[in-house]
Amino acid sequence: KSNGLFAAYVAFDGPAGDDPRTLNVGEVAEGLCRIVDVEGPMITKRAYDIYLRGCGIKRMGHELKITMNKALTNAIRRGRIVAEDELGTQVFLCSVIRMKESPPIKLRSRGPRAFEEIPPSELLVVARRVVEQHDFNPGSDDHLRAVLEYFDLRRLTTSVGTTLLDILEKKIDYVDTFLFNHPEAGS
């Protein structure tokens, strides 16, 4: 299960910045960059949650979401962060974000992430490898359970299964590139 490509998850530690309601957008953007630099590629919502929890905010309301979106847009415009809409939802919170110079995919253990916080491309790499190695029928319960097992997840709920099946249908170019450049991935 574990090899050089499947690294331990490194979680951001400590506050990324002060209360976003008291800072300018550029300062909040810098805080987001600090988080993404450690944990990226990552789901946008996870980056926001880490930032907000770090300054004692438990819930992201509508106004805070607007502020965080403006800060992320600022970091993207300045060429610091790249955002990919891997699920094609056009929902900013669901995008996968990473520092511009970092690779689009990093295979890692789950770490503190919930299933919903694992980038679709990371799940897709594992799903494609598991099929090759174990001759599973793609999309079968055995296949989906094997993918979850890589991330130390046990419960194949209806919601998780539906999400995984949706991800299996996605065509993410850099997944093919990653698999081509790392034939040993997932072995």
Side-chain angles (χ1 to χ4, degrees):
K1 175 178 152 176
S2 201
N3 69 22
L5 285 172
F6 210 72
Y9 193 85
V10 179
F12 183 84
D13 193 30
D18 292 326
D19 189 325
R21 295 168 294 203
T22 65
L23 299 177
N24 71 45
V25 166
E27 291 169 312
V28 179
E30 280 309 306
L32 286 173
C33 287
R34 283 191 284 278
I35 294 166
V36 175
D37 192 41
V38 172
E39 289 202 22
M42 67 191 302
I43 302 292
T44 300
K45 184 176 185 317
R46 177 168 170 80
Y48 289 4
D49 288 346
I50 289 169
Y51 186 104
L52 296 172
R53 276 196 307 267
C55 49
I57 299 169
K58 302 276 185 272
R59 205 179 149 276
M60 177 172 52
H62 183 69
E63 292 303 315
L64 267 176
K65 185 167 102 177
I66 290 170
T67 301
M68 299 308 284
N69 283 344
K70 283 180 181 168
L72 181 57
T73 301
N74 175 286
I76 292 168
R77 279 207 193 104
R78 291 190 0 246
R80 303 278 314 280
I81 288 180
V82 175
E84 305 277 0
D85 184 13
E86 291 185 353
L87 292 175
T89 59
Q90 296 178 339
V91 176
F92 216 24
L93 273 184
C94 300
S95 293
V96 175
I97 54 177
R98 62 184 164 86
M99 298 308 286
K100 187 178 174 120
E101 61 284 346
S102 69
I105 299 173
K106 262 193 223 165
L107 276 190
R108 306 163 280 187
S109 62
R110 180 169 54 100
R113 300 179 292 178
F115 170 76
E116 300 74 31
E117 294 175 327
I118 301 170
S121 52
E122 211 173 318
L123 290 164
L124 192 53
V125 164
V126 170
R128 301 238 319 248
R129 275 299 178 234
V130 164
V131 164
E132 284 175 22
Q133 290 160 359
H134 303 285
D135 213 23
F136 286 125
N137 189 1
S140 67
D141 278 3
D142 287 340
H143 177 220
L144 301 182
R145 280 195 176 84
V147 172
L148 291 178
E149 208 170 281
Y150 260 84
F151 295 100
D152 289 320
L153 292 164
R154 302 280 173 257
R155 295 198 50 226
L156 178 58
T157 61
T158 306
S159 164
V160 166
T162 303
T163 301
L164 277 174
L165 289 171
D166 188 41
I167 289 169
L168 290 176
E169 299 293 314
K170 299 293 176 204
K171 178 87 179 86
I172 304 172
D173 292 338
Y174 44 86
V175 166
D176 294 332
T177 306
F178 182 90
L179 288 166
F180 179 80
N181 291 329
H182 302 90
E184 71 284 13
S187 52

